[in-house]
Amino acid sequence: MKKLFNLILLCFFVIAGIAQPRTITDFNKDWRFSLGNDSMALHKMYNDKSWRTLNLPHDWSIEGDFSDKHPTTANQAGLPAGIGWYRKTFTVPATSKNKRMYINFDGVYRNSEVWINGHYLGKRPNGYISFRYELTPYIVAGRSNVLSVKVDNSAQPNSRWYTGSGIYRKVWLLTTNQVAVDHWGTFVSTPEVNNRLAKVRVQTSLTSRGGNNANVNVETRIIDRAGKVVATKVSTGVAVSGSTTIDQEVVVSEPVLWSVTNPYLYKVKTLVRSGNTLLDEYDTNLGIRYFDFDPEKGFFLNGQALKILGVCNHHDLGALGAAVNTRAIERQLEILKSMGCNGIRTAHNPPASELLELCDKMGFIVMDEAFDMWQKRKNRQDYSVDFAEWHKRDLEDMIKRDRNHASIFVWSIGNEIREQFDSTGITITRELTKIIKDLDTTRPVTSALTENEPPKNFIWQSGALDLLGFNYKLAAYPELPKRFPGQKFIAAETMSALATRGHYDMPSDSNRLWPPDSKSPFATGNPDLTVSAYDHVYAYWGSSHEDGWNAVKKAPFMSGIYVWSGFDFLGEPVPYPWPARSSYYGIIDLAGFPKDVYYMYKSEWTNKPMVHLFPHWNWPAGKVVDVWAYYNQADEAELFLNNVSLGVKKKSGDTLHVKWRVPFQPGTLKVVTRKDGKVVMTQQRVTAGKPAAILLSADRTNIKSDGKDLSFVKATIVDANGNMVPDADNQVTFKIAGNGFIAGVDNGLQTSLEPFKASQRKAFNGLCLAIVQSNGKAGPVTLIAEAEGLKSSRVTISSK
């Protein structure tokens, strides 16, 4: 009886016209994949039973072996590219016969071509752009259908960093009525905001595909976090054949403003009706905030001065490659947020939508970037070959997709574009800026520039930029307001400082430019291709972290900073040649383990008391060791070796650390920070013995059983007393039991040529990582770590 009642109730809702008319189907499971090119695979009847079955998102490059023979070169991590095919067989219900159906791709790298049942739908060369195709004319409701996708990443080299290959972002199937909200069909803005009210403008684009005009009512509801409707507006219009825009203004009283510390989001619900029939329902997130970039005082959010404390990040997720995973992105943002970071620059391309959704929810100020090059190439086969034909459509699609994100405050039209050095920069800058302004006038447009002499910079001479973003050259900061009077500024990219986690070269007060210039071959460096983790090594165009941050901190007109880079990333292994295959730039290494300079930022960007003492305390007898400490909320720091004071130090001038030079003796090194004579924090380093055991620690012991969620498990090599052994490099083997699998392994070493898709990894400087992923079933997952001669360890993760 209960089942019958529910069925009758469901039928009532459908008849009453309040059923959910828009259906979004997760289209990421059970694809067939083949690496290689078979032109017959586009046909519906092609036999793909021998192909591999997998779930999306998928990056085939990360599954390959490292080699300097791959045409991607070390700049793309020496991983393979090539051509791959994906096919999915599916059935849509017979009830879909009078509906419109669309396939949506969030990103395919690159040169994707798509067919449905053998019918060609189109091509998108840009590997970072989102797009969709309509399936309606070719799909057969109630019967089997086949979607075929060719991905061609064979033309190499086409990037200055690792791209990945394949359908590496999510895919979904959308079913709508004949009248519906169009693709990216709402634009929500807040033309007037204060503490008393917010005027919310909602522009809704409707599409009518049935060939007839339809009288419709468009109801807009603004819903708060608790689910309460706080404002409503209903408008009447005619959905003409094609596209129609309904423009509404809704007033929210006493709004909760979005900020980096309270990223409050409302929901805008758009309901489209014809009479009593609900034709469509469409949700858009809304963050109510107002902001300003001031030429003299920098950035203001909701009327309060705020320094943007940001990092640049490439899109790869370390051992997971380019394949998008929401939890992996969230983990990166959590680590950055703990450091005090409040900004992300998407370097140098449109990001995954999951990143922007998380930035909305977690409170980051995003510079959303479109291009790394225009017509002038940086690599032989890069986007410059497609720019002339595709840049307008690609840029329009980026703006339409992303413009409702509260976290986005700046649009960037390019990074270190070579047209800034000739007059074509004027024309192209004006064109790109107009494309953006035609779609969104609520945010400034910038470009990350390298030339800070006005007569030499043609992008600047276009007069089209609202905000000047400058990369590096911090010595010129004091002159910028004079060179560019009345302009607004941001440090779009800074530092390019280098480090290998846990490696230390002395003396630490001797700065090293690696490489020293653009012309000389890099003949110095370390034989093992490491870089010292003291903040004293950087590329010739960059600076130390302390110098770069001090330059921005002391410049009130500089709205903020985006450090290059937040995390190490695959590819671009400056300063070294092969077998270096990933970057040294990160504040955090590729595995997600912070380098020491992470704590410099934490001492400067957060108010919570902290202290960080380094390096480790395992050295040859008598070696003189440079000991550093970062701290905050204290006046001084005192160092003790085996309970004997080695003196009190205070930060002075622009120096953001304190330093002692200490002859090594085994034992305990301890730092104590004080304020007004009272102890604030202490930290110690202990001389470790020989490796004795593995210690496993999971970032989360409870994950969702959705087949996507992750737990990042750190394996630490410890001595008999539980102290990390700082130079341990034991081979660790991981075994897993239960409802999960090992999605990847890593150790953060830039020169490791061990595969990421494996069940073993050598520790590097005492640490390695295993990434555990749900297999889609509920139940416990147990990870066991073993190494020869060491006590094993296990951790159990609950998958629910």
Side-chain angles (χ1 to χ4, degrees):
M1 287 297 295
K2 184 177 181 181
K3 290 182 179 179
L4 180 60
F5 174 79
N6 289 337
L7 181 60
I8 294 171
L9 189 65
L10 176 62
C11 292
F12 169 78
F13 282 142
V14 172
I15 293 169
I18 56 175
Q20 189 84 286
R22 171 179 291 253
T23 303
I24 298 173
T25 305
D26 185 327
F27 225 56
N28 294 300
K29 292 183 178 180
D30 298 326
W31 286 73
R32 298 272 185 160
F33 170 71
S34 176
L35 185 57
N37 190 17
D38 185 342
S39 60
M40 299 302 292
L42 64 89
H43 297 291
K44 180 178 180 180
M45 302 310 295
Y46 179 87
N47 186 351
D48 60 15
K49 298 207 180 291
S50 64
W51 288 18
R52 173 184 168 193
T53 301
L54 51 75
N55 296 335
L56 304 179
H58 173 241
D59 171 10
W60 80 67
S61 292
I62 203 68
E63 300 171 346
D65 295 328
F66 295 102
S67 172
D68 58 350
K69 303 296 190 294
H70 290 310
T72 53
T73 75
N75 267 345
Q76 294 179 62
L79 286 166
I83 298 174
W85 280 84
Y86 297 83
R87 285 169 53 91
K88 183 174 176 66
T89 301
F90 63 101
T91 303
V92 298
T95 53
S96 302
K97 188 173 182 179
N98 294 319
K99 302 279 189 176
R100 314 301 298 189
M101 303 195 72
Y102 306 89
I103 189 70
N104 296 262
F105 294 88
D106 207 31
V108 183
Y109 202 90
R110 67 191 288 263
N111 289 316
S112 65
E113 295 181 271
V114 183
W115 293 261
I116 179 69
N117 297 330
H119 298 278
Y120 188 65
L121 296 178
K123 178 177 181 176
R124 288 307 285 260
N126 191 322
Y128 298 106
I129 211 70
S130 299
F131 57 93
R132 84 173 186 183
Y133 298 112
E134 184 168 1
L135 306 181
T136 311
Y138 314 110
I139 205 161
V140 183
R143 298 178 63 182
S144 176
N145 298 272
V146 177
L147 194 70
S148 304
V149 183
K150 179 185 178 183
V151 184
D152 186 350
N153 194 21
S154 61
Q156 295 291 339
N158 61 44
S159 179
R160 300 186 297 120
W161 60 86
Y162 178 78
T163 64
S165 302
I167 308 177
Y168 71 105
R169 294 179 182 169
K170 69 177 183 292
V171 180
W172 66 100
L173 185 70
L174 174 66
T175 305
T176 73
N177 286 312
Q178 299 293 337
V179 176
V181 176
D182 207 350
H183 190 34
W184 303 316
T186 60
F187 179 31
V188 182
S189 58
T190 51
E192 183 179 336
V193 179
N194 55 51
N195 292 328
R196 294 182 296 104
L197 62 85
K199 291 183 179 178
V200 181
R201 185 184 184 191
V202 182
Q203 296 166 276
T204 304
S205 177
L206 301 178
T207 180
S208 178
R209 305 301 298 274
N212 298 314
N213 297 344
N215 295 317
V216 294
N217 292 324
V218 177
E219 179 184 355
T220 295
R221 300 174 184 170
I222 299 182
I223 303 168
D224 68 13
R225 189 181 282 175
K228 179 183 176 182
V229 177
V230 297
T232 303
K233 183 70 176 263
V234 179
S235 299
T236 302
V238 178
V240 299
S241 182
S243 184
T244 304
T245 298
I246 305 294
D247 203 333
Q248 298 172 308
E249 185 179 276
V250 190
V251 176
V252 177
S253 299
E254 298 181 350
V256 180
L257 301 186
W258 186 98
S259 69
V260 295
T261 55
N262 182 31
Y264 190 96
L265 293 174
Y266 292 86
K267 180 184 291 184
V268 178
K269 184 174 287 293
T270 303
L271 302 161
V272 183
R273 293 186 177 91
S274 176
N276 292 324
T277 302
L278 182 65
L279 300 177
D280 201 7
E281 183 175 325
Y282 190 91
D283 290 342
T284 309
N285 285 334
L286 165 66
I288 298 175
R289 78 284 190 276
Y290 62 98
F291 65 95
D292 183 43
F293 289 87
D294 184 87
E296 297 178 356
K297 299 179 181 179
F299 179 69
F300 288 78
L301 177 59
N302 302 328
Q304 302 295 316
L306 178 70
K307 207 79 163 178
I308 298 172
L309 309 174
V311 300
C312 307
N313 255 6
H314 277 311
H315 69 294
D316 80 70
L317 296 168
L320 301 176
V324 167
N325 182 282
T326 301
R327 172 55 198 162
I329 300 172
E330 182 182 47
R331 173 189 180 239
Q332 286 193 340
L333 294 177
E334 287 173 350
I335 294 169
L336 290 168
K337 199 76 173 179
S338 180
M339 184 182 81
C341 176
N342 66 18
I344 299 291
R345 176 182 172 217
T346 68
H348 301 291
N349 44 260
S353 55
E354 289 88 344
L355 172 70
L356 298 176
E357 290 162 5
L358 286 165
C359 287
D360 290 345
K361 295 174 183 177
M362 298 173 70
F364 286 88
I365 295 176
V366 174
M367 179 187 290
D368 198 355
E369 193 153 76
F371 307 117
D372 187 46
M373 73 291 295
W374 297 345
Q375 291 178 333
K376 293 191 173 183
R377 72 186 189 188
K378 295 180 180 177
N379 295 273
R380 189 170 63 252
Q381 299 291 340
D382 62 23
Y383 184 70
S384 63
V385 303
D386 302 305
F387 183 86
E389 179 180 355
W390 285 96
H391 70 273
K392 184 176 188 293
R393 185 173 180 184
D394 287 341
L395 185 56
E396 287 176 340
D397 284 352
M398 176 184 122
I399 303 303
K400 289 178 183 177
R401 188 197 73 165
D402 294 351
R403 62 186 174 178
N404 290 320
H405 286 284
S407 58
I408 296 176
F409 285 70
V410 183
W411 301 116
S412 172
I413 55 174
N415 171 68
E416 300 183 354
I417 297 298
R418 292 185 172 178
E419 281 86 345
Q420 69 184 302
F421 303 112
D422 69 71
S423 60
T424 61
I426 295 176
T427 305
I428 299 175
T429 302
R430 289 174 179 170
E431 180 199 2
L432 297 178
T433 302
K434 184 179 185 303
I435 290 170
I436 293 175
K437 297 293 186 180
D438 285 347
L439 296 170
D440 178 24
T441 60
T442 70
R443 298 171 176 90
V445 175
T446 192
S447 183
L449 307 170
T450 54
E451 180 53 69
N452 57 34
E453 294 284 351
K456 300 177 182 178
N457 192 323
F458 289 88
I459 290 179
W460 141 253
Q461 290 177 35
S462 71
L465 299 182
D466 305 300
L467 178 68
L468 300 186
F470 283 109
N471 291 7
Y472 308 105
K473 300 183 179 179
L474 55 90
Y477 283 5
E479 298 298 315
L480 293 179
K482 301 174 187 176
R483 296 181 187 178
F484 303 92
Q487 297 299 302
K488 304 167 184 179
F489 301 96
I490 192 163
E493 187 173 316
T494 58
M495 288 26 160
S496 280
L498 311 169
T500 299
R501 174 186 52 80
H503 177 82
Y504 307 95
D505 295 331
M506 286 162 256
S508 63
D509 50 6
S510 173
N511 288 343
R512 306 172 181 195
L513 270 64
W514 289 5
D517 55 53
S518 61
K519 299 177 181 178
S520 308
F522 182 56
T524 55
N526 294 327
D528 60 357
L529 308 189
T530 55
V531 177
S532 176
Y534 295 114
D535 182 22
H536 66 142
V537 187
Y538 48 91
Y540 67 88
W541 61 82
S543 70
S544 69
H545 288 280
E546 290 195 24
D547 287 346
W549 166 235
N550 275 323
V552 173
K553 183 169 68 169
K554 292 190 292 185
F557 57 85
M558 196 63 78
S559 300
I561 187 172
Y562 288 102
V563 178
W564 189 265
S565 59
F567 282 74
D568 280 347
F569 53 89
L570 289 164
E572 201 179 351
V574 174
Y576 290 118
W578 187 265
R581 48 71 172 157
S582 60
S583 80
Y584 295 75
Y585 296 118
I587 299 169
I588 302 144
D589 77 11
L590 197 68
F593 303 139
K595 302 177 188 178
D596 294 290
V597 78
Y598 176 92
Y599 300 95
M600 184 279 284
Y601 287 103
K602 192 165 188 173
S603 72
E604 287 285 299
W605 290 3
T606 72
N607 293 320
K608 185 178 180 180
M610 57 77 59
V611 65
H612 177 68
L613 178 68
F614 65 103
H616 57 79
W617 205 237
N618 276 55
W619 298 96
K623 180 177 177 64
V624 177
V625 181
D626 287 355
V627 176
W628 286 31
Y630 297 120
Y631 65 88
N632 66 3
Q633 305 300 311
D635 305 319
E636 62 183 30
E638 186 172 8
L639 188 68
F640 296 85
L641 177 56
N642 297 328
N643 295 320
V644 176
S645 176
L646 301 182
V648 174
K649 300 278 187 175
K650 297 183 179 183
K651 289 185 277 189
S652 61
D654 291 336
T655 303
L656 303 178
H657 67 277
V658 290
K659 177 175 70 72
W660 297 263
R661 195 153 275 163
V662 183
F664 174 72
Q665 296 177 22
T668 300
L669 191 70
K670 182 175 71 172
V671 67
V672 178
T673 63
R674 300 185 185 90
K675 186 176 182 65
D676 299 327
K678 296 180 180 179
V679 173
V680 177
M681 298 287 289
T682 65
Q683 191 177 68
Q684 65 182 32
R685 302 286 177 228
V686 178
T687 304
K690 294 180 179 180
I694 305 169
L695 178 65
L696 290 182
S697 57
D699 71 333
R700 297 187 308 156
T701 54
N702 291 283
I703 63 174
K704 299 174 185 174
S705 59
D706 58 2
K708 302 173 185 177
D709 207 2
L710 305 173
S711 179
F712 289 80
V713 183
K714 179 171 69 174
T716 306
I717 309 301
V718 298
D719 67 9
N721 295 318
N723 302 306
M724 186 184 86
V725 182
D727 60 352
D729 62 354
N730 305 72
Q731 181 83 21
V732 179
T733 299
F734 297 100
K735 298 178 180 178
I736 199 161
N739 293 314
F741 62 94
I742 298 171
V745 292
D746 197 2
N747 61 14
L749 177 60
Q750 292 97 338
T751 57
S752 173
L753 300 184
E754 300 169 277
F756 290 120
K757 302 295 184 180
S759 58
Q760 64 279 329
R761 192 70 166 197
K762 287 188 72 173
F764 171 63
N765 286 344
L767 301 175
C768 61
L769 178 77
I771 306 171
V772 175
Q773 185 166 347
S774 156
N775 68 358
K777 298 178 182 178
V781 185
T782 299
L783 182 73
I784 302 167
E786 300 174 334
E788 185 176 354
L790 304 185
K791 183 180 178 181
S792 63
S793 180
R794 66 176 58 207
V795 64
T796 298
I797 298 157
S798 176
S799 176
K800 297 181 180 180

